[in-house]
């Protein structure tokens, strides 16, 4: 890069370049996560020897009761720690939730890519969708995808990159836009998703400390999260188009460019696309017909819910794989890309072969994440921070803004939204209730902070997955590349979302149906 180009860059872009260069000078992600795991072993030994601990009110995951608990560091730098690491290595790997999710979804998505169905579908999308709408559509779909849990990570993010490439834009910008919506805007949605009943259940346990009669419903944050969806979509679009993509420059091509050199389709491809899409519509209509009856076997047998604890949500990944696989096979047969079942099986094998680096990375990263959880380091950081704010004497409005920032900071060390809330809810819910704030307000403040830093923390379980997706378009992509690309989203989402909350409070708007800001 010339000195003139460097001078023309903004200070913020130069800062991002420094972050990227520094991050990419680190070892290969597999080695880096191995060093992270080793660091946890050593640090846990030191903290254990120092007698580091924290205490506070925690929700017992088995009984659901709020209990006063003293949490101590569990050392991995001793014989019991070594036994844990040796006996749990395979369990940590096979029990790592994103592993099965990614591989099963990729069986369907991989076949869809290699059949040519996705390529034709995207080229048709280019023909009918204005280019100006592609960024907001990708970010918006990312936000909406979290209603299906982690499905957006393994389906929408790689497709977001392909969609941008179909429009002649940089695929890394499409990947970033989708990742920002899926993960940075994780709590934002127009629908009540899987996270809502999970967090409200934890909140209700914390409420019992001061009021046994108050109950938070899963819809308690619905109005605010609906508005958040549009705010995140607007911010994500601006960041992608004005900051991220200009910084990436022109895409020079890569392994996934085949099929996007021309927007025209042959007559055979057009017929195959029409047939495959009809099959997809029939499958969707059939599924809706199965879901409508209140007695459907796909609903929760006790509550009738389609979201909370339903067979439908529990099987969403295999359903998504089938909804890619079946139309893709139909397309491949009609278009001639699949001659027989051997071609279909071959495409499945190629799809799994492309995930070999990911599988290796998951083995190491799963050890690191589970070591961090086992040692209680993240739990103690969260507890000590919560205790500090509780005793600070800061006024209520500045305190809730600081709580958003603290939640974002804690998310860097503890990826699970429910695990962090189990620690923070018993401290902050009673505290803010005594200050007159509703539990729903505290919960929504937590959700803002918890979402914004998802895109920059290696402790987020899908972080390794996104690095592998990025390597499709940049062989040198590493943690530095991803963090530098996603940092603008994290910072601006945090600021913009917090401003939205402040305005919401200033106008006294309801957070959900019948839910006030104040008690």
């Amino acid at each position: 890069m010339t000195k003139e180009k460097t001078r023309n860059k903004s200070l913020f872009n130069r800062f991002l370049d420094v972050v990227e260069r520094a991050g990419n000078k680190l070892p290969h992600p597999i080695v880096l996560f191995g060093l992270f795991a080793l660091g946890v072993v050593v640090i846990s030994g030191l903290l254990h020897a120092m007698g580091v601990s924290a205490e506070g009110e925690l929700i017992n995951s088995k009984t659901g009761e709020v209990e006063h608990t003293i949490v101590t560091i569990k050392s991995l730098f001793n014989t019991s720690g070594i036994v844990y690491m040796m006996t749990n290595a395979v369990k940590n790997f096979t029990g790592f939730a994103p592993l099965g999710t990614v591989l099963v979804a990729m069986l369907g998505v991989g076949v869809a890519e290699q059949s040519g169905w996705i390529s034709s579908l995207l080229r048709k999308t280019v023909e009918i969708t204005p280019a100006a709408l592609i960024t907001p559509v990708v970010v918006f779909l990312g936000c909406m995808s979290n209603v299906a849990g982690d499905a957006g990570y393994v389906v929408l993010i790689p497709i977001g990159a392909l969609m941008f490439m179909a429009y002649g834009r940089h695929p890394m910008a499409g990947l970033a836009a989708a990742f920002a919506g899926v993960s940075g805007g994780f709590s934002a949605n127009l629908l009540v998703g899987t996270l809502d009943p999970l967090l409200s259940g934890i909140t209700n346990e914390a409420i019992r400390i001061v009021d046994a009669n108050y109950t938070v419903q899963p819809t308690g944050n619905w109005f605010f999260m609906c508005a958040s969806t549009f705010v995140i979509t607007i911010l994500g679009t601006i960041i992608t188009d004005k900051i991220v993509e200009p910084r990436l420059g022109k895409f020079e091509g890569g392994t996934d460019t085949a099929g996007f050199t021309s927007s025209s389709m042959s007559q055979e491809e057009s017929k195959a696309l029409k047939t495959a899409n009809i099959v997809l519509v029939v499958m969707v209509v059939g599924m809706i017909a199965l879901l409508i009856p209140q007695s459907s076997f796909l609903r929760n047998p006790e509550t009738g819910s389609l979201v909370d604890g339903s067979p439908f949500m529990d099987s969403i990944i295999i359903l998504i794989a089938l909804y890619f696989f079946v139309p893709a096979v139909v397309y491949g047969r009609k278009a001639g890309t699949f001659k027989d079942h051997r071609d279909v099986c071959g495409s499945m094998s190629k799809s799994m072969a492309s995930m070999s680096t990911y599988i290796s990375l998951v083995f190491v990263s799963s050890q690191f994440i589970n070591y961090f959880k086992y040692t209680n380091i993240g739990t103690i950081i969260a507890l000590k921070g919560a205790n500090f704010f509780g005793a600070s004497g800061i006024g209520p409005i500045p305190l809730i803004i600081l709580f958003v920032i603290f939640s974002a900071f804690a998310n860097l060390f503890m990826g699970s939204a429910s695990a962090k809330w189990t620690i923070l809810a018993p401290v902050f819910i009673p505290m803010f209730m005594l200050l007159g704030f509703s539990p729903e307000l505290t919960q929504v403040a937590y959700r803002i902070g918890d979402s914004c830093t998802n895109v920059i923390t290696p402790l987020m379980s899908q972080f390794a997955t996104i690095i592998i997706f990025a390597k499709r378009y940049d062989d040198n992509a590493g943690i530095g590349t991803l963090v530098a690309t996603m940092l603008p989203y994290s910072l601006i989402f945090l600021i913009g979302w917090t401003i939205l909350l402040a305005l919401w409070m200033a106008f006294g708007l309801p957070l959900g149906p019948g839910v006030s800001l104040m008690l």
Side-chain angles (χ1 to χ4, degrees):
M1 183 179 293
T2 65
K3 290 183 179 179
E4 182 65 28
K5 286 182 178 180
T6 302
R7 281 196 297 268
N8 289 337
K9 281 193 171 186
S10 67
L11 181 62
F12 185 59
N13 273 332
R14 278 181 275 172
F15 167 70
L16 294 178
D17 288 343
V18 171
V19 172
E20 181 173 4
R21 285 195 299 270
N24 287 346
K25 284 183 179 179
L26 296 171
H28 188 282
I30 294 176
V31 174
L32 188 61
F33 275 103
L35 293 174
F36 284 167
L38 180 61
V40 173
V41 173
V42 175
I43 291 171
S44 69
L46 292 173
L47 295 179
H48 178 76
M50 294 166 60
V52 173
S53 64
E55 61 180 295
E57 305 298 322
L58 295 178
I59 297 174
N60 188 308
S61 58
K62 295 180 180 179
T63 65
E65 298 295 324
V66 178
E67 301 174 354
H68 186 81
T69 308
I70 298 176
V71 181
T72 59
I73 293 289
K74 295 173 70 174
S75 176
L76 288 168
F77 203 69
N78 53 28
T79 54
S80 61
I82 292 172
V83 169
Y84 165 80
M85 290 186 287
M86 293 176 63
T87 57
N88 285 272
V90 174
K91 181 180 177 182
N92 290 344
F93 174 54
T94 58
F96 193 59
L99 177 64
T101 299
V102 171
L103 295 184
V104 171
M106 284 304 296
L107 283 173
V109 176
V111 172
E113 284 189 76
Q114 294 183 49
S115 72
W117 179 45
I118 287 182
S119 173
S120 293
L121 195 61
L122 292 177
R123 279 184 284 168
K124 179 60 70 173
T125 303
V126 170
E127 292 178 9
I128 63 176
T129 306
L133 293 180
I134 188 62
T135 306
V137 165
V138 169
V139 179
F140 175 77
L141 291 177
C143 292
M144 293 300 296
S145 72
N146 67 57
V147 74
D150 288 345
Y153 286 100
V154 294
V155 177
L156 185 66
I157 291 175
I159 289 179
L162 294 175
M163 289 180 73
F164 267 55
M165 189 154 56
Y167 280 80
R169 299 177 61 179
H170 203 298
M172 278 292 289
L175 182 147
F179 187 27
V182 172
S183 197
F186 183 67
S187 276
N189 207 296
L190 299 182
L191 303 173
V192 175
T194 55
L195 187 64
D196 295 275
L198 182 62
L199 293 184
S200 63
I202 297 171
T203 300
N204 285 327
E205 293 300 328
I207 289 171
R208 293 181 185 177
I209 297 174
V210 294
D211 188 349
N213 298 317
Y214 194 106
T215 301
V216 170
Q217 299 297 331
T219 56
N221 297 151
W222 186 31
F223 292 167
F224 183 82
M225 288 308 166
C226 286
S228 298
T229 304
F230 297 106
V231 170
I232 292 299
T233 299
I234 293 169
L235 292 177
T237 300
I238 294 171
I239 296 165
T240 303
D241 293 347
K242 301 299 182 182
I243 299 176
V244 171
E245 191 165 17
R247 179 176 174 272
L248 289 170
K250 184 179 179 181
F251 182 56
E252 300 298 337
T255 57
D256 277 345
T257 56
F260 293 95
T261 55
S262 173
S263 61
S264 61
M265 288 191 291
S266 67
Q267 188 175 4
E268 290 77 11
E269 287 176 324
S270 296
K271 289 181 178 179
L273 178 62
K274 182 178 180 180
T275 304
N277 290 347
I278 290 173
V279 170
L280 177 62
V281 170
V282 170
M283 292 176 69
V284 171
V285 171
M287 178 57 64
I288 292 173
L290 288 174
L291 294 173
I292 288 175
Q294 194 64 28
S295 59
S296 171
F297 68 94
L298 293 173
R299 291 177 177 269
N300 185 312
E302 296 180 0
T303 65
S305 172
L306 281 174
V307 177
D308 187 17
S310 69
F312 172 67
M313 291 306 302
D314 290 342
S315 58
I316 193 70
I317 295 300
I318 189 64
L319 290 174
I320 286 173
L322 288 172
Y323 275 64
F324 275 96
F325 181 84
V326 175
V329 172
V330 171
Y331 177 91
R333 290 289 292 169
K334 294 285 288 184
T337 51
F338 290 157
K339 303 298 183 183
D340 53 33
H341 71 278
R342 291 178 179 82
D343 290 338
V344 177
C345 294
S347 68
M348 295 172 71
S349 299
K350 289 179 182 178
S351 176
M352 289 299 99
S354 68
M355 301 303 292
S356 57
T357 302
Y358 170 72
I359 294 171
S360 302
L361 180 57
V362 162
F363 177 78
V364 183
S365 63
S366 65
Q367 308 305 320
F368 161 62
I369 291 173
N370 278 279
Y371 290 178
F372 208 84
K373 180 180 178 181
Y374 171 85
T375 58
N376 290 329
I377 293 175
T379 303
I380 287 177
I381 290 173
L383 269 176
K384 284 188 174 294
N387 292 336
F388 168 78
F389 282 116
S392 64
I394 301 172
I397 293 179
L399 184 58
I400 204 163
I401 294 175
L402 285 175
F403 176 53
V404 172
I405 298 171
F406 171 68
S407 299
F409 175 74
N411 192 45
L412 297 173
F413 302 96
M414 199 172 188
S416 170
S418 58
K420 282 195 304 297
W421 193 225
T422 300
I423 296 168
L424 300 180
V427 177
F428 286 98
I429 289 292
M431 179 196 312
F432 285 120
M433 286 182 73
L434 294 175
L435 290 171
F437 290 158
S438 70
E440 290 89 349
L441 176 59
T442 309
Q443 180 178 279
V444 89
Y446 166 74
R447 295 176 72 171
I448 292 172
D450 173 68
S451 296
C452 293
T453 50
N454 277 336
V455 294
I456 59 171
T457 173
L459 277 168
M460 197 272 291
S461 59
Q462 295 283 4
F463 199 81
T465 309
I466 311 306
I467 292 177
I468 298 304
F469 288 149
K471 281 185 172 294
R472 288 184 172 189
Y473 311 104
D474 182 357
D475 291 337
N476 298 318
I479 288 180
T481 303
L482 192 55
V483 171
T485 301
M486 301 310 299
L487 190 58
Y489 295 102
S490 185
L491 294 175
I492 296 173
F493 280 7
L494 184 61
I495 295 169
W497 219 342
T498 303
I499 291 173
L500 176 64
L501 179 60
L503 291 174
W504 208 274
M505 294 173 67
F507 286 100
L509 301 175
L511 293 167
V515 177
S516 301
L517 292 163
M518 311 301 290
L519 292 175

